[in-house]
């Protein structure tokens, strides 16, 4: 009888036991190597990428126009005596689940002016600065004033940031800037005056009041440079010009408080 049969021998080195053990050992070694490589790549990946491709260039701009605290309300194409304009916020007909006050665009409303354009500008680069050179406004289209009902559902906002503040008036000649604007008394601000230096840890917050003339479609372009590359960031409403309507004297204005409509 062989030693194996007596139970005193060792399993064959080429047998199923050793094949399974080898696979487990090799798999463990492979996982360890991948982990080490991943750690090294994580530690030096940014430096290597920057050396090969350079740091990301350009700017990111968080834009808000005509909503919440930057709003002057909306002009709806409905008579003040219409059922819609007498329906409390959150009630009435819905379009894609939203009521007239929750999605004014869907109900044909246009942001009322003057409206505030809020721009928080940051850089894509981590270690280098970007210089903001200029902000240019373009009047894309001008129409007759919008008639209907003005409703202001805007909410007050905090006073956290310091703004660089300017005023655009589309009733003036291009470039439309109103010189020496009156600074908002309730907001920490200084006069908008380029250039501005922006880094990843020190963004710039720009605030521009846009005064329409009639019914205006418009956009803006923010010019920047990092010393090597220059570019233009187009500021608009998700690929389309902003729309802002002047509140005519004959247009009646309302606000809703506690579910009741009050004329203002």
């Amino acid at each position: 009888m062989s030693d194996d049969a007596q139970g005193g021998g060792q399993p064959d080195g080429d047998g199923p036991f050793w094949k399974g053990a080898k696979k487990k050992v090799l798999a463990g070694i492979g996982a360890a190597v991948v982990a080490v490589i991943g750690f090294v790549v994580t530690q030096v990946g940014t430096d290597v990428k920057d050396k090969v491709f350079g740091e990301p260039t350009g700017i990111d701009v968080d834009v808000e126009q005509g909503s919440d605290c930057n709003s002057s309300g909306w002009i709806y194409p409905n008579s003040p005596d219409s059922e819609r304009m007498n329906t409390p916020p959150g009630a009435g007909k819905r379009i894609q689940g939203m009521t007239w006050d929750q999605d004014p665009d869907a109900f044909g409303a246009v942001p009322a002016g003057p409206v505030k354009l809020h721009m928080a500008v940051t850089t894509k680069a981590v270690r280098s600065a970007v210089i903001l050179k200029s902000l240019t406004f373009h009047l894309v289209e001008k129409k007759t004033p919008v008639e209907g009902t003005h409703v202001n559902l805007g909410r007050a906002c905090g006073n956290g940031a310091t703004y660089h503040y300017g005023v655009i008036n589309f009733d003036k000649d291009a470039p439309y800037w109103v010189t020496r604007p009156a600074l908002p008394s309730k907001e920490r601000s200084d006069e908008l005056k380029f250039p501005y230096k922006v880094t990843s840890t020190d963004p710039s917050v720009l605030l521009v009041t846009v005064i329409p003339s009639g019914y205006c479609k418009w956009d803006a372009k923010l010019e920047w440079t990092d010393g090597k590359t220059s570019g233009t960031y187009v500021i608009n409403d998700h690929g389309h010009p902003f729309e802002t309507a002047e509140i005519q004297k004959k247009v009646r204005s309302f606000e809703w408080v506690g579910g009741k409509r009050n004329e203002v």
Side-chain angles (χ1 to χ4, degrees):
M1 181 179 293
S2 68
D3 290 338
D4 288 346
Q6 296 177 356
Q10 297 297 322
D12 188 353
D14 293 326
F17 174 84
W18 279 109
K19 287 182 180 179
K22 288 177 181 177
K23 288 181 180 179
K24 291 181 180 180
V25 171
L26 291 174
I29 293 174
V33 171
V34 170
V36 171
I37 293 174
F39 175 78
V40 173
V41 169
T42 300
Q43 297 301 309
V44 304
T46 300
D47 293 335
V48 172
K49 182 178 68 175
D50 290 350
K51 289 179 181 178
V52 175
F53 301 105
E55 267 206 297
T57 59
I59 58 175
D60 286 319
V61 185
D62 181 21
V63 179
E64 182 185 88
Q65 185 268 158
S67 60
D68 294 334
C69 55
N70 290 327
S71 176
S72 293
W74 298 76
I75 299 179
Y76 288 82
N78 307 102
S79 165
D81 300 322
S82 66
E83 180 181 355
R84 178 169 297 158
M85 292 293 94
N86 284 272
T87 301
K93 178 183 177 182
R94 293 176 180 268
I95 298 178
Q96 295 185 347
M98 308 289 277
T99 57
W100 65 272
D101 58 295
Q102 295 168 342
D103 189 359
D105 282 324
F107 288 84
V110 178
V115 70
K116 291 179 180 178
L117 178 66
H118 178 280
M119 297 156 283
V121 188
T122 56
T123 66
K124 293 182 178 180
V126 177
R127 288 179 292 277
S128 58
V130 168
I131 302 299
L132 305 182
K133 298 167 58 179
S134 65
L135 180 64
T136 306
F137 282 76
H138 303 274
L139 182 58
V140 177
E141 186 178 0
K142 184 176 179 180
K143 298 181 180 180
T144 55
V146 176
E147 297 184 4
T149 304
H150 173 230
V151 182
N152 195 344
L153 297 165
R155 296 179 291 273
C157 291
N159 188 21
T162 298
Y163 303 98
H164 305 304
Y165 178 71
V167 175
I168 285 288
N169 189 341
F170 283 127
D171 198 34
K172 306 294 183 180
D173 294 331
Y176 312 114
W177 288 104
V178 176
T179 58
R180 302 182 63 83
L183 303 179
S185 58
K186 296 183 180 180
E187 296 169 340
R188 294 197 299 270
S189 57
D190 56 26
E191 185 174 355
L192 182 66
K193 191 174 183 180
F194 290 92
Y196 293 108
K197 180 180 178 180
V198 178
T199 68
S200 59
T201 57
D202 186 18
S204 281
V205 182
L206 316 180
L207 182 65
V208 178
T209 293
V210 179
I211 303 173
S213 177
Y215 169 41
C216 297
K217 291 186 177 182
W218 55 275
D219 60 19
K221 293 181 179 179
L222 185 58
E223 303 285 342
W224 61 269
T225 183
D226 61 8
K228 297 179 180 179
T229 305
S230 298
T232 301
Y233 191 102
V234 179
I235 297 171
N236 57 29
D237 187 9
H238 301 93
H240 303 281
F242 290 116
E243 299 180 47
T244 309
E246 179 183 1
I247 304 173
Q248 299 292 298
K249 291 182 179 180
K250 62 181 179 180
V251 173
R252 294 169 64 188
S253 297
F254 298 87
E255 64 180 6
W256 286 85
V257 179
K260 295 184 178 180
R261 190 181 77 158
N262 301 315
E263 188 162 7
V264 294

